């Protein structure tokens, strides 16, 4: 019996990659997909013309989401934090469906951080402690009782996979976690803004939200969730490519800690993780992961400073792929189900 | 029982996309993959780290191909025409395997064209008439007796899918088939040449082999094979993108022939073709097909000139995907097997 | 004594390249530059921070243009056709300034074509015959009495420079002029539209306005102005690069006309043209002209079909550079003044 | 009287940008340009077809450089460190010409660092102390007696302009200077390597020479030269663009030091520097400087960590433009001579 799911916001970048993955997922039936922009159009035609799973499905308005949620076992919210923070509680209360939220609405615990970084007053403090922060390689499967999964941010996923094990193992100083991150433009979502126009972005590189990005507290909390809170410095940059994130993290090794120990820590942490590869720093690149749910990690150190490189596809491991991984685990499937056949973009 | 196959030249661009597709193909077992460059390395690690099908497989030298061919039912040659023209006959003679050749070695019939366009004397005129020219939408499944499939060229595939039905139906003049083609750089293969360096290609566009490209006679012969030989003018251009081809074909409609008739001809020809979409000209773009085995077609006409747009991924429908489609048909499988789960690059 | 000029619409792509060129022009003083978007900002800071000529100049609102025009000898209109068609007559009537209009408002002669291609009713048929169509290499300097210069369209400039001499010389059939054109995204102007967003354009290629682009009648009229009207087929494509146009024109040589005759015709036509290079087809590329006022041309022929390649920078020779060239000629300066120091983008 | 100069290695990326700039320089005459690859070709045709200054000049073999150096007042070496380290001493000894060396051959002082980072034994320790390290904004004009100018590395230029004033002023801890740098591909020079092919680079981002790049000691020494040696961590990344560098430097402010103090320090240091703009961090981008000799700087701080952004064009301010700036200063010209007319690539 296939798992019946729905997608809210299926025509944005994350939502459409999610729909494309689910269309080929052998254990999932997509029951509905919402999009105000594409209302009435064929989902298959827009999102996955080579697959057969979505044949017959048409986009419905976002306003139908709550009613349709009663027909499914899981709802993916590929919506903004402002939308998710309102919609998720309603679904949780009105239906028995699990909610996998791709926005930041339930990733933090401190209401003040919502005010500061997301610029809204979070109305549901009661839901934050129970939301499962879903990086499976670090935090395992969503517990049976956790109906709300906060699917992690793209930057936070890459940064935490690379640094959390080293911080938690006490190999590096927790109060100096510095992350220089670079992301493709799909990270900004589907937008009609001059700043994201081809002519402005092509050939350019710039930093944005310097020391003020909303993933900063998410990374700090992720370190704490994994065992040891750290002081996080985070600067993101906009790359002139469509997809992919590379994070370059700078850590301070404790005295005597070698590059080999750091490498071994990462290698051992992810020994059984099907989507993580620990390799040489020079082999950690966006092209090697684009289009897949993979994470590539590499570490270098000179004793004073350790550098950890992490590469993911922001729309797959950083959003839709990890959401499917969480669905698989929540429903007792192998975590790779439906995610193995993704083929690298390269060449 | 899985079909046992081998890949010769599996680390080039076409070969590696082929290996990645076959790794997820539910009815195929890849028994060997050759690469002189990657000899001894793990195929899965290099080409398809998310899949499980290639686990344990290692690249072997090209020189092993003939001997290993005896163990399989089909051999893909992702090699140059010069290599294929020597190797294919040996495999056909020494084994019972089918050969699907991705090079141009067996696509033409006229030896003089080999001399002129490929710059070698073709040694096996005897094999040319029996080689099956494999565009399934136009020429169907390889016949039972045809052990040698000439997998079509990327430009020729796009150009023929767009124009051959119109020429054969007598809707346009056969003596004025003009094709302006644009291809991503992977079409040139994996190369260490300054001309294909990032700094030279990025931001540039230029034509090459103007009126002298080897796909010109292949397109002309393809029109003849489909029913009516035409006079073909062909100019390819190198695009600053990695993957994808757009062909813009200019035809002369016969008197009274309307845009609607042309559109209907294409639509009817491909009514049952799972990988072809006939749509509006403005929706025919590379991004919509990149990463998939799809072809998008559109036609416009003002009565004097008809313009046919065709878009494919040069490495999938233009090479590896079509080769798998031919394999499927040769072995009695649905032609979409293993090709449905390919997800568009976009976004 | 410097020529005093003003720029209306100086913060769009053409307008800003124009301002940057004029800032280094040794014989020009930019007296005003308008921009509603940038009102009050320093022109130098926004457009040309390395130069000294614009120091002190600030953008003023577009509404000031008419009044300020009285203080200058020439006004450049880097505005839409809808704006130019209203503003140019007012400037011509109220002042003694010359007007160099970069829009299409005065390039055609047939009012019906304005209705059809520009979608407005042209109110000033009286001005069209006297407007000088300014491709200096084909039509020379603006006559003394021509106060209104219609600066040609980017596509039309490239297409006409490559084909008009061959048509006029009777070397090719005038009723078969087919132009397949490819342009960078700046050709669409500065826009906040999803269609021109980085994520949509990068990696893509598509045709647009197939057989319906407004430069089609401009090219046809240009051929007539140069001596022999032709039947023009024109299909533009959007390239994933910022700047540059390549046109690939397909012509039918008259019987017996050789490639050498065609090449000689172009070479002789432009023997004294400082900005045109006639070379081999394989050397005609966008990278070689981007950032400059150059045109590269090349021709190939097999006797049946002749292919002419033309490359320009759409914002320089296709807009701002040619406008300055027209200014130079109108005021008796060498046409290269202020245009020689432009350095190619490449590498 | 024009300054007579020669260029050795004029067909590489830095050399060709240098030639293009010098072609428009009002006080310079280029007497010779060498290139083994382009021997005999016209310099103007290859490098600067719009200018008139190089008309008649043809590339000569590199082997002619020493002999021709006797005819000029300054020689630019756009050659590898291995070539420069041999050639510069010969020119200094055999002629009276100044030498401006764009390689790393004379930038360091510690022979061990040459062995470690450049992998050769430096034969001329005697010349290192007297070589002028030429970042004019930090180190002024080359002293009268300094005939050898070590033109700084591209990464080092950006990193030092952003950090040296803050370190020297004691506003930040000197022992924590961490630089995350991103460069376009021209930084690697003109190369025919698969790693720099379009298909490998496009869409990718990766770090290289992690903690092992030869500019690390150059930056550390630069800090010392400017007043206070620091401990430098440096990680470069290869961007999928042709030109431009962005460095993101992470510093530790001394207790109580504010963002405003850091900004004021940079602003005051460069108050009279014509090529440096100190602005908001979000306005520091590659597109704003590409094609020019400008440096854009911005700083942010939260009290614990300060982030300094610096953007330059690696081939202009990071190589050829700075070399011309050094020439100007060495010969008593305004430092902006010949560098003002460079027009931004953007749009």
């Amino acid at each position: 019996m296939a798992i019946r799911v729905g997608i809210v916001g299926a025509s944005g970048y994350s939502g459409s990659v999610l729909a494309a993955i689910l269309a080929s997922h052998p254990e999932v039936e997509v029951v509905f997909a919402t999009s105000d922009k594409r209302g009435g159009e064929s989902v298959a035609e827009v999102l996955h013309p080579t697959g057969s799973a979505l044949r017959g499905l048409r986009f419905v308005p976002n306003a139908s989401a709550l009613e349709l949620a009663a027909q499914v076992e899981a709802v993916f919210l590929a919506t903004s934090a402002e939308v998710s923070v309102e919609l998720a509680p309603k679904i949780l209360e009105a239906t028995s469906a699990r909610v996998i939220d791709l926005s930041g609405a339930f990733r933090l615990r401190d209401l003040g951080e919502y005010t500061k970084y997301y610029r809204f007053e979070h109305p549901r403090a009661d839901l934050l402690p129970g939301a499962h922060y879903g990086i499976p390689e670090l935090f395992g499967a969503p517990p049976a009782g956790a109906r709300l999964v906060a699917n992690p941010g793209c930057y936070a996923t890459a940064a935490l996979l690379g640094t959390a094990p080293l911080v938690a193992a006490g190999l590096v100083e927790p109060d100096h976690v510095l992350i220089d991150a670079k992301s493709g433009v799909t990270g900004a979502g589907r937008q009609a803004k001059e700043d994201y126009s081809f002519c402005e972005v092509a050939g350019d590189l710039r930093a944005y939200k310097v020391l003020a990005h909303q993933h900063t507290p998410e990374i700090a909390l992720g370190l704490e969730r994994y065992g040891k809170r750290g002081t996080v410095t985070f600067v993101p940059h906009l790359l002139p490519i469509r997809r992919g994130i590379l994070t370059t993290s700078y850590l301070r090794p404790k005295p005597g800690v070698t590059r080999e120990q750091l490498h071994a820590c990462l290698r051992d942490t992810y020994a059984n993780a099907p989507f993580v590869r620990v390799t040489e720093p020079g082999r950690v690149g966006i092209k090697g992961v684009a289009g897949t749910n993979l994470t590539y990690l590499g570490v270098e150190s000179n004793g004073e400073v350790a550098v950890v490189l992490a590469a993911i596809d922001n729309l797959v491991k950083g959003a839709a792929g990890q959401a499917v991984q969480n669905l698989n685990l929540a429903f007792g499937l192998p975590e790779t189900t439906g995610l193995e056949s993704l083929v690298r973009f390269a060449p």
Side-chain angles (χ1 to χ4, degrees), chain A residues 112-184:
Chain A
E113 291 177 341
Y114 278 102
T115 311
K116 177 175 176 188
Y117 289 101
Y118 285 88
R119 317 232 164 203
F120 63 73
E121 299 302 312
H122 199 293
R124 294 303 300 263
D126 58 311
L127 291 175
L128 297 176
H132 175 73
Y133 186 71
I135 302 182
E137 291 82 358
L138 298 178
F139 305 110
R147 283 178 57 213
L148 176 57
V149 173
N151 207 60
C154 49
Y155 284 128
T157 297
L160 286 168
L161 285 167
T163 63
L166 305 177
V167 173
L171 294 171
V172 301
E173 303 289 350
D175 54 346
H176 290 92
V177 177
L178 195 156
I179 297 147
D180 188 281
K182 301 93 176 169
S183 173

Side-chain angles (χ1 to χ4, degrees), chain A residues 223-241:
Chain A
L223 292 177
E224 183 179 345
R225 282 167 160 147
Y226 195 66
K228 194 173 295 182
R229 187 163 185 119
T231 304
V232 171
T233 300
F234 178 70
V235 178
H237 300 74
L238 186 70
L239 282 176
I241 64 175

Side-chain angles (χ1 to χ4, degrees), chain A residues 60-72:
Chain A
V60 296
N62 293 337
S64 317
L66 184 56
E67 185 182 340
L68 291 166
Q71 307 174 16
V72 300

